[in-house]
């Protein structure tokens, strides 16, 4: 290996624009000069593109885009394939390197030619990068390797020789999470592991990060898959390395059990959309009523658009600009019958979503109940950041439905919107309550939520109960 090999910093980027510049600038601050940055953007919906433009004159920084949201494994695999360096290391876009990071990694790799990867230590920080604690030094017992040592914790910063990576089958592109651990286990099958007892990175904990809330549970699920596949490759006892870990973790995470089972059954689909349920009847009746109340609507964004039926109804009424947002599980074949492919973006509704403009109308209809309660505040913030008027409905307790995990009465959502000075207006339900062509969940739950600066018609004297009689028929 040459004295100053090129080092590739690999960034798998999705909706981390607010931290990305700090990550990139930490590479500029390195004491080692021969580096490049490979960024692969996984269809971000925030202002990441604005950050990229600030560095477009630097030919050491290369930005690539996935055509659709593909997840961590696919994006990280592509990062490695697009890199030019003899040594590589992944930098999460919400973390920052310490100035010594690349220099120390290069020195270890040069001194240890049979080493495939180098682990180091990190400072664990709050959102503002104030140090909270230090990571432990990874110690591998004599006679064991990284995998059989079974001390599975976040490892940052890790670097690896690309020549050794090329000897493996590479990162599994189907891994939505735990792609790093997938790579670690494969790299140690072709080369040695070196533990560098130096701090090289600040690891940021924040809402929306993989170490926060529901994301931790998803990561753990994918880690179990990695352990299973590693056992198969190496001929190890699955019960010892997978099943016992599964049972041990469930002891501490019993409240997540049914959520995991649902993910296993449905291939991690949060919701299954069908044309039978998501038809045009309700949209075709309700959209004209909405436009009669809100005549100056020229753009609409739908958070949780499903099959795009509501956006199709708005387009039919002359709305020129629409955008649908939903998870990767959306049935694109059915969706693109109703809206154009260019009118849709794949997003994670549980994480912050920042759009590049304000829309005249934001809609979110029977979606919030499918998201974890931990993400409710984040979801509301995403809605209010998208526009000043919102057409909103969410399932109430006892309503029932596929994967309803956060059913709440309207008062719950009213309180969260009020924090941003957005007010509930009950001006639709009396117009649709008795219409048998409209699904009861819309008749029961639909409100217009608007910023207090927006002038709307007075609320009606609607005195019907919050629970629609059709719900009782549905339950019976």
């Amino acid at each position: 290996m040459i004295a100053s090999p090129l080092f590739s910093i690999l960034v798998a980027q999705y909706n981390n624009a607010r931290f990305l510049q700090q990550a990139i600038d930490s590479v500029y601050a390195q004491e080692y000069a021969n580096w490049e940055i490979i960024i692969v953007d996984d269809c971000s919906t925030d202002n990441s593109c604005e950050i990229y433009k600030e560095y477009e004159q630097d030919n050491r920084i290369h930005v690539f885009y996935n055509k659709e949201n593909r997840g961590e494994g696919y994006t990280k695999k592509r990062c490695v394939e697009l890199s030019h360096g003899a040594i590589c290391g992944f930098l999460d876009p919400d973390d920052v390197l310490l100035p010594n990071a690349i220099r120390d990694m290069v020195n270890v790799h040069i001194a240890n030619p049979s080493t495939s990867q180098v682990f180091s230590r990190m400072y664990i920080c709050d959102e503002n990068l104030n140090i909270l604690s230090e990571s432990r030094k990874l110690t591998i017992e004599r006679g064991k390797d990284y995998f059989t040592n079974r001390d599975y914790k976040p490892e940052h910063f890790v670097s690896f020789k690309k020549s050794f990576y090329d000897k493996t089958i590479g990162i599994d592109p189907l891994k939505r999470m735990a792609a790093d651990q997938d790579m670690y286990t494969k790299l140690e099958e072709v080369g040695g592991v070196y533990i560098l007892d130096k701090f090289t990175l600040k690891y940021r904990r924040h809402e929306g990060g993989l170490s926060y809330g529901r994301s931790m549970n998803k990561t753990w699920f994918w880690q179990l898959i990695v352990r299973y596949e590693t056992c198969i490759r190496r001929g190890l006892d699955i019960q010892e390395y997978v099943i016992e870990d599964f049972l041990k973790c469930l002891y501490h995470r019993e409240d997540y059990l049914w959520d995991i089972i649902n993910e296993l059954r449905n291939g991690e689909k949060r919701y299954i959309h069908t044309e039978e349920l998501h038809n045009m009847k309700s949209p075709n009746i309700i959209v004209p009523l909405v436009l009669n109340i809100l005549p100056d609507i020229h753009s609409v964004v739908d958070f949780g658009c499903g099959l795009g039926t509501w956006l199709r109804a708005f387009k039919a009424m002359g709305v020129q600009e629409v955008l649908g947002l939903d998870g990767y599980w959306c049935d694109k074949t059915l969706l693109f019958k109703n809206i154009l492919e260019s009118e849709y973006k794949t997003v994670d509704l549980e994480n912050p979503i920042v759009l590049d403009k304000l829309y005249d109308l934001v809609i979110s209809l029977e979606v919030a109940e499918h998201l974890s309660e931990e993400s409710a505040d984040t979801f509301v913030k995403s809605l209010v950041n998208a526009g000043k008027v919102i057409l909103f409905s969410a399932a109430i307790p006892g309503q029932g439905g596929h994967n309803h995990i956060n059913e709440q009465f309207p008062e719950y959502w009213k309180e969260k919107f009020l924090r941003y000075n957005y007010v509930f207006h009950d001006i639709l339900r009396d117009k649709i309550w008795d219409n048998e062509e409209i699904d009861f969940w819309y008749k029961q739950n639909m409100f217009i939520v608007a910023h207090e600066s927006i002038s709307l018609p007075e609320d009606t004297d609607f005195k019907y109960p919050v629970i629609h009689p059709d719900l009782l028929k549905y339950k019976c």
Side-chain angles (χ1 to χ4, degrees), residues 192-323:
V193 174
Y194 188 99
I195 312 299
L196 176 63
D197 189 14
K198 289 187 177 180
F199 291 92
T200 58
L201 180 137
K202 284 188 172 183
Y203 177 86
R204 191 193 313 257
R205 282 183 171 172
H206 62 95
E207 183 178 351
L210 293 182
S211 61
Y212 188 93
R214 181 183 172 90
S215 292
M216 291 182 66
N217 180 50
K218 288 183 176 181
T219 302
W220 169 65
F221 168 78
W222 283 103
Q223 286 173 348
L224 288 175
I225 299 298
V226 169
R227 293 173 204 175
Y228 171 81
E229 293 174 344
T230 303
C231 286
I232 296 298
R233 284 200 313 273
R234 301 187 186 185
L236 298 175
D237 185 354
I238 293 174
Q239 177 169 322
E240 179 180 356
Y241 290 96
V242 182
I243 298 176
E244 288 182 6
D245 284 353
F246 177 78
L247 296 174
K248 180 173 64 177
C249 289
L250 280 184
Y251 177 79
H252 299 288
R253 299 168 183 243
E254 184 178 356
D255 53 330
Y256 290 138
L257 174 59
W258 289 110
D259 189 32
I260 294 169
I261 290 174
N262 284 333
E263 288 179 350
L264 285 167
R265 285 174 174 169
N266 300 315
E268 246 209 345
K269 290 187 178 183
R270 182 67 49 76
Y271 188 74
I272 299 173
H273 301 97
T274 64
E275 288 184 300
E276 180 181 1
L277 185 63
H278 295 266
N279 56 60
M280 294 300 299
K281 285 186 178 180
S282 296
N284 283 340
I285 299 170
I286 294 175
V287 167
L289 297 175
V290 172
L291 293 176
N292 187 50
I293 297 170
L294 304 165
D296 296 323
I297 299 297
H298 306 289
S299 60
V300 178
V301 58
D302 188 348
F303 282 71
C305 64
L307 300 186
T309 51
W310 287 88
L311 294 178
R312 177 178 175 178
F314 276 105
K315 290 176 69 174
M317 293 295 295
V319 173
Q320 299 174 348
E321 182 180 0
V322 300
L323 176 65

Side-chain angles (χ1 to χ4, degrees), residues 121-133:
R121 300 181 67 186
M122 63 182 174
Y123 293 113
I124 300 167
C125 304
D126 64 15
E127 185 166 334
N128 298 314
L129 293 179
N130 298 309
I131 296 175
L132 301 174
S133 61

Side-chain angles (χ1 to χ4, degrees), residues 102-171:
I102 298 180
R103 181 201 64 201
D104 290 345
M105 287 292 184
V106 170
N107 288 340
V108 172
H109 278 287
I110 292 176
N112 298 271
S114 63
T115 291
S116 62
Q117 58 191 324
V118 178
F119 292 81
S120 61
R121 300 181 67 186
M122 63 182 174
Y123 293 113
I124 300 167
C125 304
D126 64 15
E127 185 166 334
N128 298 314
L129 293 179
N130 298 309
I131 296 175
L132 301 174
S133 61
E134 299 176 353
S135 69
R136 71 12 179 164
K137 177 189 175 184
L138 175 61
T139 301
I140 297 179
E141 296 180 19
R142 184 182 297 274
K144 295 185 177 181
D145 55 27
Y146 167 74
F147 180 72
T148 58
N149 195 59
R150 300 179 70 175
D151 184 12
Y152 311 123
K153 292 181 180 177
E155 305 293 347
H156 300 284
F157 177 50
V158 177
S159 63
F160 59 95
K161 293 184 180 76
K162 192 174 181 183
S163 59
F164 280 80
Y165 177 90
D166 290 340
K167 296 177 183 179
T168 74
I169 59 175
I171 296 171

Side-chain angles (χ1 to χ4, degrees), residues 36 55-62:
E36 68 171 1
Y55 299 95
E56 61 186 3
Q57 300 304 316
D58 192 333
N59 60 14
R60 296 173 296 177
I61 300 179
H62 313 277

